[in-house]
Amino acid sequence: MFFDLSDQQKMIRSKARDFAEREVGPSAEQRDEEERFDRGLFDRMGELGLTGIPWPERYGGIGADYVSYVMAVEELSRVCASTGVMLSVHTSLVGWCLYTYGTEEQKQKYLEPIAQGKKLGAYSLTESSSGSDAKAMRTTATRDGSGWYILNGNKIFVTNGGEAEIYLVFAITDTQQRGKGYSAFIIEKGTEGFAFGKKEKKLGIRASPTLELIFDNCRVSEENLLGEEGEGFKIAMSALDGGRSGIAAQALGIAQGTLDATIAFAKERKEFGNLIGLRQAIAFKIADMANKIEAARLLTYQAAWRESIGVPYGKEAAFAKLFSSDTAVQVTIEALQIFGECGYTKAYSVERCMRDAKVTQIYEGTNEIQRLVISRMVLTD
Ligand code: CAA
């Protein structure tokens, strides 16, 4: 086992950290307060090469690995979890599907602007009647016999919704085949019959837009079918494997940012005439937080490393997502306790981090689904 980072990985982490601290962090509180998505941050990420980290240069990426990518999500999430998830969905779900299943024409047309940060991506699987049970979706895509599909239905909880230009949409193409009757489509913003519905008001990641998508006789060319007809469920599930490493990295960043703030607070705050960091009750809490974060980091980097070297990583990504998200929730709750009343106010970022952490146990597969995925794998190993 070799734990050193390569020069390229160090360079990408340092670029992401510098950008996060200088350009993302300063506005994080205000964007959260105003529930405001800042497109300018995405544009800057494109200029810095952060929107196409794992994709080859011929498709507009920088040809680095998935470890570099999860480190970038971690660094962004250390200061702003909304910005972290924007990059995670854009890369792990949308870029990955286009790179893995797209035709050469689809890669040129859609992956390149995604990788260059000229277009933002969104992934839509969930519906009001299908969350964890993704197969229960109702959106249909029916062939019209002249090279087009007609989509009807609604998707909900779509991260980057409304702001993204490119949407991956999963729909039923054959109602007779439950497992194999789903297909994936690339749909551009502005396509006739495709509209945006309700924007969710959320507890956390409030600067990340979460929208409903509405398809009302939306005509999509068969050129925009991603993969084979009937391959949609496999595409959706395999994308979520890598997506879970991205969410693990987001949770890791939230936890690390919270720990950094807690250590700084413990070194300046005095109670009973002494710094609280010198009290064992606080110091041991901080030790436990640091310990869990280190374990979460190892699991997250391991899943990304396995993806980079081309060995199976679904189980490891589920391990990472389950452990990192639980860590983020535990760390942020414990940190708020250490900050006391100060943490309960908006004077420090810890209350925002606590609100942001919760969703990492929920989206891209609840932690109950992660246990289902893990148990199925370990019981059949
Ligand atoms: N990779 C490739 N193929 C996979 C796969 C994977 N990881 N997981 C399953 N499949 C394939 C199976 O091999 C199977 O194929 P065959 O029929 O050829 O054998 C097929 O998919 C069906 O698999 P299952 O029988 O295991 O399906 P299931 O219904 O029993 O369970 C599940 C699947 C694990 C519960 C799945 O539904 C799941 O992961 N649910 C959670 C969905 C989820 O994470 N939603 C979040 C969406 S995104 C989001 O959160 C919003 C956002 O914008 C961030």
Side-chain angles (χ1 to χ4, degrees):
M1 274 264 179
F2 193 60
F3 288 97
D4 252 1
L5 297 178
S6 69
D7 288 345
Q8 187 187 43
Q9 288 165 338
K10 284 184 199 156
M11 186 273 287
I12 291 170
R13 182 178 63 181
S14 141
K15 190 185 273 193
R17 180 172 297 177
D18 191 56
F19 168 66
E21 287 178 353
R22 283 173 200 261
E23 302 183 46
V24 182
S27 62
E29 291 297 336
Q30 204 179 344
R31 285 182 287 108
D32 169 71
E33 189 73 31
E34 296 169 0
E35 300 178 271
R36 180 168 56 82
F37 175 83
D38 183 347
R39 179 67 185 219
L41 292 177
F42 176 71
D43 295 342
R44 279 288 292 142
M45 281 158 65
E47 286 164 17
L48 294 168
L50 297 175
T51 48
I53 292 172
W55 317 131
E57 288 175 37
R58 68 181 186 284
Y59 297 126
I62 60 169
D65 68 348
Y66 291 97
V67 175
S68 307
Y69 153 66
V70 293
M71 288 192 306
V73 174
E74 175 188 347
E75 291 301 329
L76 295 170
S77 305
R78 206 160 65 87
V79 301
C80 175
S82 293
T83 307
V85 74
M86 180 241 284
L87 182 64
S88 180
V89 167
H90 177 80
T91 309
S92 298
L93 299 183
V94 183
W96 188 88
C97 284
L98 293 168
Y99 180 62
T100 310
Y101 294 100
T103 61
E104 190 54 35
E105 291 71 33
Q106 288 171 339
K107 285 181 185 150
Q108 302 283 349
K109 186 169 177 189
Y110 298 111
L111 179 59
E112 200 174 301
I114 285 276
Q116 292 170 335
K118 293 190 173 145
K119 289 189 176 169
L120 177 64
Y123 168 103
S124 56
L125 178 67
T126 304
E127 300 183 7
S128 54
S129 58
S130 63
S132 290
D133 183 8
K135 273 189 202 151
M137 73 175 78
R138 292 191 184 146
T139 296
T140 54
T142 316
R143 277 186 181 276
D144 78 345
S146 57
W148 294 82
Y149 287 90
I150 313 296
L151 269 82
N152 281 293
N154 293 37
K155 296 285 174 183
I156 58 168
F157 302 153
V158 180
T159 302
N160 296 341
E163 300 293 340
E165 285 81 21
I166 297 172
Y167 294 80
L168 293 191
V169 180
F170 299 90
I172 300 172
T173 39
D174 184 348
T175 48
Q176 302 307 310
Q177 299 199 46
R178 234 177 94 76
K180 306 259 187 302
Y182 306 87
S183 301
F185 297 90
I186 307 163
I187 305 187
E188 291 184 64
K189 184 179 188 172
T191 302
E192 211 181 318
F194 170 27
F196 300 117
K198 179 177 157 214
K199 181 180 180 198
E200 301 296 340
K201 293 189 79 69
K202 307 192 299 283
L203 173 74
I205 56 159
R206 287 158 50 93
S208 161
T210 305
L211 262 79
E212 177 188 15
L213 312 183
I214 302 166
F215 300 97
D216 181 10
N217 287 324
C218 174
R219 275 164 60 83
V220 179
S221 163
E222 61 186 10
E223 286 170 11
N224 284 26
L225 174 72
L226 183 69
E228 300 294 322
E229 190 175 295
E231 228 187 353
F233 199 74
K234 185 180 90 182
I235 296 174
M237 291 298 112
S238 54
L240 284 169
D241 284 341
R244 287 165 185 164
S245 302
I247 299 307
Q250 184 204 20
L252 172 62
I254 295 170
Q256 184 65 55
T258 304
L259 177 66
D260 296 344
T262 308
I263 291 171
F265 186 76
K267 285 179 170 174
E268 69 177 32
R269 174 79 176 180
K270 285 188 175 170
E271 291 288 355
F272 302 105
N274 228 337
L275 292 172
I276 62 168
L278 298 175
R279 303 268 177 208
Q280 209 172 58
I282 303 299
F284 278 17
K285 277 187 201 287
I286 291 176
D288 285 343
M289 290 158 71
N291 191 6
K292 284 182 187 150
I293 290 171
E294 204 52 34
R297 178 168 291 111
L298 290 173
L299 284 174
T300 304
Y301 290 8
Q302 172 188 241
W305 169 74
R306 288 181 70 91
E307 184 169 4
S308 299
I309 62 165
V311 298
Y313 55 91
K315 181 176 68 183
E316 289 74 13
F319 281 154
K321 199 261 188 194
L322 175 59
F323 192 83
S324 287
S325 60
D326 283 351
T327 296
V329 169
Q330 289 157 9
V331 162
T332 53
I333 289 175
E334 206 61 315
L336 202 143
Q337 187 67 21
I338 294 172
F339 274 79
E341 191 67 34
C342 298
Y344 202 68
T345 70
K346 287 187 179 284
Y348 293 87
S349 60
V350 65
E351 64 82 32
R352 171 170 57 90
C353 293
M354 193 184 89
R355 289 187 285 103
D356 287 348
K358 184 60 200 168
V359 74
T360 65
Q361 292 179 316
I362 297 172
Y363 58 19
E364 299 206 21
T366 63
N367 281 4
E368 290 70 25
I369 290 293
Q370 305 312 312
R371 288 186 175 89
L372 178 75
V373 169
I374 293 166
S375 61
R376 281 180 178 181
M377 288 191 174
V378 296
L379 286 166
T380 53
D381 261 356

